[in-house]
Amino acid sequence: MAMLDPELRLHLQEVAEQDAPARRRSSPSGHRSGVAARVRRHTLRRLMVADVIGLAFAAFVGPLIVSAVSVNPDSAAARSARIYTFDLAMIPVFIAVFAFYGLYRGTTRRISMSVFSDLRNIVHALMISGFAYAVVAYSVHRVLGTGVEEVTVAKIAAMCLVAVVLVPLARVVAFGLVQRASDGSVPVIVVGTGKLAQTVASHLRAHSAVQFVGFVDDNPVGRSDVIGELDELPELCRQYHVARVVVCFSRTHPERTTEMLKTLTGQVGVSIVPRYYELITGRSHVEDLSGLPMLDIAPASLSAGSRFLKRTFDIAVSSLVLLLVSPAIAVLAALIKATSAGPVFFRQIRTGRDEAPFSMMKFRTMYHDAESRRHELEHLNEMDGPLFKVREDPRVTRVGRFLRKTSLDEIPQLINVWRGDMSLVGPRPFVVAEAMEIEGWARKRFEARPGMTGLWQVSGRNELSHLELCRLDYLYVASWSFWWDMQILWQTPATVFRGRGAS
């Protein structure tokens, strides 16, 4: 058996022993099906309750907004009670449309619960629901001749627009409660022990909603955390109540692995990391060729139109955020100036789009002589390749340590975004010396402006190796989409809040 972490192994074995009588009283497949069904019902209830709550608040807030800005006496807030009652009565219609759009399917098939992946369907479902609401209100008024005069297109639209914000927020809370109710962990086994399997395992260990159980492999590379061979996989899934198996490359014959996985599908969730995964993004799609699935590789799409859309978004958002945070910028500048000698801002030459150098701005977090002292700390560098990073760097000031931990030191980069040196989302901005050492396929990163955040930020920041950073930058530039930018921006606040990879 394995060299599994002793505390984790003890915990998992205790759970297995406590449930042993139940396993003996029922068949293995029945036990797993029962657990999956209970989890599925629990998750679905949480999601449906969250949607009802979000819609109920939207039904109240939406008409109030219309009443506040309208001069029509029929839209007065005093007359909103009847429309609110009608709004509540229409919520089942919204829930039915949500179900039609698949918003309650597949929740237990995900390793990580994310609201963003459903956001597009939520918006579409609200649009169709709003249209259905208008049809029902018009039909009731025509048939009964009374009762819903207060319902207007403006109030229906306002309700749906507010719901675009409140329903996802309610789902965020619901997902958090689901994870907390299940002890915040989904047991996962990884098939394979190679380099990719180790990378997948490191991501699983870093995820708060996942409990990495161990590796399964017939010919393991090393023995760390290996809990068994492929023949033992069904029994291991029962023993540790595994919810999902992630299949990476292994030296076991693919036909044998396929036969084993066929016995698990439908009982335990199975995820497969495909070969040439570096070329596959969310924009890739599966095409069926007479029963043979073929995976399309999305082409690079940084066209002139894409660049214009991305740049327009950067200017609009950076201008708005700079305006909103200007008081905070003044306060932080005063703190930096009062606690250490030197300028408020730190400027450093970085390599931008088409390898053009630019001066990147940050709040100064180190003492003024930090650069001249770098050679003293070369032996403490924790990064590979040309990157340089020292945890607990003695050159960092007390205020600077707080700014780095919270990523507030990066706020001045909004000025770089506004000027066109950077983008809100993009490859990591390397210093010139680091950029000069990037070769081959990794140089595709220079086709895009570097970003304040990016795949490197939401995937681990300083925990990633230099090669992994280059791979993520290549993947981002080669398969860019505006929706992908929105997803990265959505994930960034949570990453910053957790302080993952920050130093």
Side-chain angles (χ1 to χ4, degrees):
M1 180 69 80
M3 295 175 62
L4 192 63
D5 179 76
E7 293 185 2
L8 175 59
R9 181 173 59 189
L10 180 61
H11 170 70
L12 293 173
Q13 288 177 345
E14 288 176 350
V15 172
E17 290 171 1
Q18 290 171 0
D19 289 346
R23 291 200 306 274
R24 287 194 294 267
R25 288 195 299 269
S26 61
S27 66
S29 61
H31 172 73
R32 293 196 299 270
S33 299
V35 172
R38 286 195 299 272
V39 172
R40 185 178 297 110
R41 288 195 298 269
H42 180 69
T43 304
L44 288 179
R45 281 199 302 268
R46 295 275 189 181
L47 280 182
M48 294 186 73
V49 169
D51 289 344
V52 169
I53 292 174
L55 290 168
F57 275 98
F60 178 73
V61 175
L64 283 184
I65 294 175
V66 175
S67 299
V69 300
S70 176
V71 295
N72 187 346
D74 291 335
S75 298
R79 304 188 62 180
S80 296
R82 293 176 66 187
I83 186 175
Y84 184 59
T85 302
F86 197 80
D87 286 348
L88 294 179
M90 289 298 299
I91 287 180
V93 174
F94 282 76
I95 298 298
V97 176
F98 280 21
F100 177 79
Y101 269 83
L103 291 170
Y104 304 117
R105 289 199 306 264
T107 53
T108 57
R109 293 170 58 188
R110 305 176 188 175
I111 292 180
S112 174
M113 291 185 178
S114 172
V115 175
F116 191 89
S117 59
D118 292 328
L119 194 56
R120 186 179 301 180
N121 283 340
I122 290 174
V123 174
H124 289 174
L126 286 171
M127 292 172 61
I128 298 300
S129 300
F131 178 76
Y133 186 175
V135 171
V136 171
Y138 176 77
S139 301
V140 170
H141 181 65
R142 292 286 293 179
V143 172
L144 301 180
T146 184
V148 289
E149 295 88 346
E150 298 88 347
V151 177
T152 64
V153 173
K155 289 184 177 180
I156 295 174
M159 173 186 173
C160 293
L161 287 173
V162 174
V164 168
V165 177
L166 295 185
V167 169
L169 286 178
R171 283 186 159 229
V172 168
V173 175
F175 281 149
L177 292 176
V178 167
Q179 293 175 356
R180 198 171 295 117
S182 61
D183 297 328
S185 60
V186 175
V188 176
I189 282 178
V190 173
V191 175
T193 52
K195 186 174 182 179
L196 175 61
Q198 297 289 343
T199 300
V200 170
S202 67
H203 283 272
L204 293 175
R205 290 188 184 100
H207 204 292
S208 60
V210 173
Q211 183 182 59
F212 171 66
V213 176
F215 299 103
V216 169
D217 201 347
D218 290 341
N219 301 293
V221 179
R223 300 296 302 176
S224 177
D225 289 345
V226 179
I227 61 174
E229 298 182 353
L230 195 61
D231 286 338
E232 302 173 88
L233 184 57
E235 177 58 32
L236 291 170
C237 288
R238 287 193 296 270
Q239 181 180 354
Y240 297 126
H241 294 179
V242 169
R244 180 157 297 275
V245 171
V246 179
V247 184
C248 301
F249 311 150
S250 71
R251 290 182 285 187
T252 302
H253 195 282
E255 184 176 348
R256 183 165 177 269
T257 303
T258 301
E259 290 300 318
M260 181 59 67
L261 293 177
K262 285 179 179 178
T263 66
L264 295 178
T265 54
Q267 309 297 331
V268 176
V270 177
S271 296
I272 299 176
V273 180
R275 292 189 181 275
Y276 310 112
Y277 64 94
E278 297 95 336
L279 304 175
I280 300 170
T281 70
R283 295 175 55 241
S284 302
H285 67 271
V286 177
E287 178 183 359
D288 180 77
L289 182 65
S290 302
L292 178 67
M294 300 182 66
L295 189 62
D296 167 71
I297 304 301
S301 58
L302 274 173
S303 61
S306 298
R307 292 184 188 278
F308 176 78
L309 175 62
K310 186 174 177 64
R311 181 66 188 134
T312 302
F313 182 77
D314 285 343
I315 293 173
V317 174
S318 61
S319 299
L320 178 61
V321 176
L322 279 172
L323 183 64
L324 293 176
V325 303
S326 54
I329 292 177
V331 171
L332 293 175
L335 282 174
I336 295 170
K337 197 68 176 176
T339 54
S340 62
V344 169
F345 297 110
F346 170 74
R347 291 176 170 84
Q348 188 177 47
I349 302 300
R350 300 287 180 108
T351 303
R353 178 183 168 189
D354 297 329
E355 302 185 54
F358 71 96
S359 177
M360 191 184 77
M361 297 178 61
K362 299 176 72 172
F363 279 126
R364 180 174 57 82
T365 59
M366 292 185 171
Y367 293 103
H368 66 280
D369 59 346
E371 284 298 311
S372 62
R373 294 169 54 191
R374 172 171 169 166
H375 68 281
E376 302 173 4
L377 305 172
E378 290 287 352
H379 65 289
L380 299 177
N381 186 17
E382 300 173 359
M383 305 296 289
D384 63 346
L387 302 179
F388 181 83
K389 185 68 65 175
V390 175
R391 201 179 302 271
E392 303 299 330
D393 195 324
R395 301 173 300 165
V396 179
T397 65
R398 185 186 303 178
V399 173
R401 202 169 300 281
F402 167 76
L403 293 177
R404 287 188 170 199
K405 190 67 176 177
T406 58
S407 295
L408 291 175
D409 61 317
E410 298 175 3
I411 288 179
Q413 292 175 24
L414 288 166
I415 299 174
N416 289 115
V417 174
W418 185 83
R419 294 192 311 198
D421 301 325
M422 297 178 65
S423 178
L424 291 172
V425 183
R428 182 165 178 154
F430 284 151
V431 299
V432 176
E434 295 169 349
M436 290 178 63
E437 297 190 31
I438 297 175
E439 300 176 345
W441 56 267
R443 298 188 68 80
K444 191 174 183 66
R445 69 186 312 282
F446 296 120
E447 294 181 12
R449 292 183 177 90
M452 288 185 65
T453 186
L455 278 178
W456 52 273
Q457 172 84 305
V458 299
S459 301
R461 302 169 80 182
N462 297 327
E463 297 172 358
L464 300 174
S465 66
H466 175 66
L467 179 61
E468 184 69 5
L469 283 172
C470 290
R471 188 188 71 81
L472 291 176
D473 287 343
Y474 170 87
L475 187 64
Y476 172 80
V477 177
S479 302
W480 178 87
S481 72
F482 185 73
W483 190 252
W484 203 2
D485 274 9
M486 297 301 100
Q487 183 173 359
I488 292 171
L489 288 172
W490 173 277
Q491 295 173 338
T492 297
T495 303
V496 172
F497 179 76
R498 290 194 302 266
R500 183 184 173 195
S503 63

